[in-house]
Amino acid sequence: MKIDRGGPAAAKSGKRERLVAAASRVLHEQGVEKTTLADIARVADVPVGNVYYYFKTKDQLVEAAIEAHAQGLRAVTAHLDQLPSPQERLKALLGGWTEQRELAARYGCPFGTLSSELGKRTDGLDHATAAVMRLLVDWVEQQFRTMGRDDPHDLAITLVATYQGISLLTNTFRDPELMTSQIHRLEEWIDSLA
Amino acid sequence: MKIDRGGPAAAKSGKRERLVAAASRVLHEQGVEKTTLADIARVADVPVGNVYYYFKTKDQLVEAAIEAHAQGLRAVTAHLDQLPSPQERLKALLGGWTEQRELAARYGCPFGTLSSELGKRTDGLDHATAAVMRLLVDWVEQQFRTMGRDDPHDLAITLVATYQGISLLTNTFRDPELMTSQIHRLEEWIDSLA
DNA sequence: GTCTATAATTAGATAGAC
DNA sequence: GTCTATCTAATTATAGAC
């Protein structure tokens, strides 16, 4: 059964999907405000003015990119849930972040920088990013709860905040090894909690 | 002796200073790309087109705001250096961040969000923010070195990254108490290192 | 030396052609 | 249903008035 994503007559051409994928990438590389619809349309190989056939406003395209992040996150956690122990699940999550360290060094965390920029707003997109961040924190919290900790929420905030902060410094100093060494500290911290 | 800040004939009117102060505030509240020169000029109470008398480009005004952050940071650390022990100095730094939690909840860390946005660039402003972040990391590192730790750099990165990450989550979730509770964890961590 | 009117560009958005 | 030519508004920047 085909999912209707609200776009006019969900075409087979896949242009809507290309636009969302392009938006996700370009918004990460350039930031929301710096990015123009022309930038996204070029990467998606869609005529500029044509974008408005699929999205009524630029913000709706940004919102679709945020929802794509949510979907990607759900896919990742569903995959990690196959692992036998919460410690292994958390470490696998950290391992994925370490693998992305070169991207983080160049452009920061794909979702964190988006959240940083949209966090200044009060127009709904700020809530949309918060909802995705909540997905991540809730999943991590569940792992700590399964480990028998009585302060799973605090621990989850600590883990996610640490990753976000490391991403910022890794990007600011253009040094991917900061991610490697600090994630390593997080791994040892997880072991110390077990 | 008067400091010449490079502006044309450093006027007594104080407009340049007002522009830099307004830029620092508005860039924090709105972000760099979203902010127009008109926004800054309005807050500084300076005619819009007049801005170009003091700064050749928008980027030069942003750079002046970054330098203002550097000056502010130097003033803060000089003040903290009056305290007798490195532990007290670090905790006083954390205390200052806790006091700013409402501002962080609304707009994020004044310098971190700037760094996040400029970190995507490669035009010099990215290096300017990195230099200011380096000032902070170096000062923190010196405190851990004075405490006799053999891994002062890693510890400094951990502390600054944790604060930056907490700031992001505090802003994303609009919850100042996240700052309070996580800074408390950092204080206990500092005690555990002594 | 100080400031303002205005140019040049580019953005997001739409009416309407195919 | 799909797409393009074009509009309006807003932005950075400058030429030149005071």
Side-chain angles (χ1 to χ4, degrees):
Chain A
M1 179 172 161
K2 202 150 193 317
I3 297 169
D4 179 62
R5 290 198 166 72
K12 308 114 180 91
S13 59
K15 287 192 180 178
R16 192 181 192 282
E17 287 70 19
R18 292 214 307 278
L19 281 170
V20 174
S24 195
R25 178 178 151 194
V26 179
L27 291 176
H28 178 216
E29 293 177 357
Q30 304 189 342
V32 177
E33 295 297 336
K34 181 75 178 294
T35 297
T36 68
L37 292 174
D39 292 333
I40 297 171
R42 193 183 323 116
V43 171
D45 198 31
V46 169
V48 197
N50 197 348
V51 173
Y52 284 90
Y53 175 59
Y54 298 96
F55 300 93
K56 277 202 279 284
T57 63
K58 179 183 175 181
D59 278 0
Q60 283 197 4
L61 181 46
V62 174
E63 191 172 14
I66 294 169
E67 182 49 35
H69 277 284
Q71 290 287 26
L73 183 56
R74 286 190 200 97
V76 165
T77 54
H79 188 73
L80 295 177
D81 280 333
Q82 305 297 315
L83 294 170
S85 75
Q87 287 94 332
E88 285 173 277
R89 294 194 282 272
L90 288 173
K91 286 186 184 178
L93 179 69
L94 296 179
W97 287 338
T98 300
E99 284 174 13
Q100 289 191 66
R101 63 189 180 280
E102 295 286 349
L103 196 65
R106 184 59 196 83
Y107 302 112
C109 169
F111 189 71
T113 57
L114 192 63
S115 193
S116 176
E117 204 173 345
L118 297 178
K120 297 179 185 300
R121 296 203 193 182
T122 55
D123 59 0
L125 288 184
D126 55 331
H127 288 113
T129 52
V132 180
M133 193 71 86
R134 182 73 64 191
L135 278 180
L136 175 61
V137 171
D138 283 352
W139 183 88
V140 173
E141 183 173 337
Q142 182 56 45
Q143 307 315 309
F144 284 121
R145 187 174 292 110
T146 304
M147 286 168 66
R149 298 290 309 197
D150 63 353
D151 52 353
H153 181 68
D154 267 14
L155 295 173
I157 292 289
T158 298
L159 188 147
V160 174
T162 301
Y163 162 62
Q164 288 298 339
I166 293 168
S167 292
L168 177 59
L169 293 194
T170 294
N171 179 228
T172 300
F173 294 133
R174 297 278 196 276
D175 181 1
E177 292 318 307
L178 282 183
M179 182 70 76
T180 309
S181 63
Q182 294 291 312
I183 289 275
H184 187 69
R185 289 181 80 92
L186 272 181
E187 287 169 347
E188 291 180 336
W189 173 71
I190 289 171
D191 285 335
S192 77
L193 296 174
Chain B
M1 179 173 165
K2 205 153 192 312
I3 296 169
D4 180 62
R5 289 199 168 73
K12 309 116 179 89
S13 59
K15 287 191 180 178
R16 192 180 193 281
E17 287 71 18
R18 292 214 307 278
L19 281 169
V20 174
S24 195
R25 175 177 153 194
V26 179
L27 291 177
H28 177 216
E29 294 179 354
Q30 305 190 340
V32 177
E33 296 296 338
K34 181 75 179 295
T35 297
T36 68
L37 292 175
D39 293 333
I40 297 171
R42 192 183 325 115
V43 172
D45 197 32
V46 169
V48 197
N50 196 349
V51 172
Y52 285 89
Y53 174 59
Y54 298 96
F55 300 93
K56 276 203 279 283
T57 64
K58 179 184 175 180
D59 279 0
Q60 282 196 3
L61 180 47
V62 174
E63 191 173 12
I66 294 169
E67 182 50 36
H69 276 284
Q71 289 288 26
L73 183 57
R74 286 190 201 98
V76 166
T77 55
H79 189 72
L80 295 176
D81 279 333
Q82 305 297 316
L83 293 170
S85 76
Q87 287 94 330
E88 286 173 278
R89 294 194 282 271
L90 288 174
K91 288 187 184 178
L93 178 70
L94 296 179
W97 287 338
T98 300
E99 284 175 13
Q100 288 190 65
R101 65 189 181 280
E102 295 286 348
L103 196 65
R106 183 58 197 85
Y107 301 111
C109 169
F111 190 72
T113 57
L114 191 64
S115 192
S116 176
E117 204 173 346
L118 296 178
K120 297 178 185 301
R121 297 203 191 181
T122 56
D123 60 359
L125 288 184
D126 55 331
H127 288 114
T129 51
V132 180
M133 193 72 86
R134 182 71 66 191
L135 278 181
L136 175 60
V137 171
D138 283 351
W139 184 86
V140 173
E141 184 174 336
Q142 182 56 43
Q143 308 315 308
F144 284 121
R145 188 174 291 111
T146 304
M147 286 167 67
R149 298 290 309 196
D150 63 353
D151 52 352
H153 182 69
D154 267 14
L155 295 174
I157 292 289
T158 298
L159 186 147
V160 174
T162 301
Y163 162 63
Q164 287 298 337
I166 294 169
S167 292
L168 177 59
L169 294 195
T170 294
N171 179 227
T172 299
F173 294 133
R174 298 277 196 276
D175 181 2
E177 292 317 306
L178 283 182
M179 182 69 76
T180 308
S181 63
Q182 294 291 312
I183 289 275
H184 188 69
R185 289 182 81 90
L186 272 182
E187 287 168 347
E188 291 180 337
W189 173 71
I190 289 172
D191 286 334
S192 77
L193 295 174

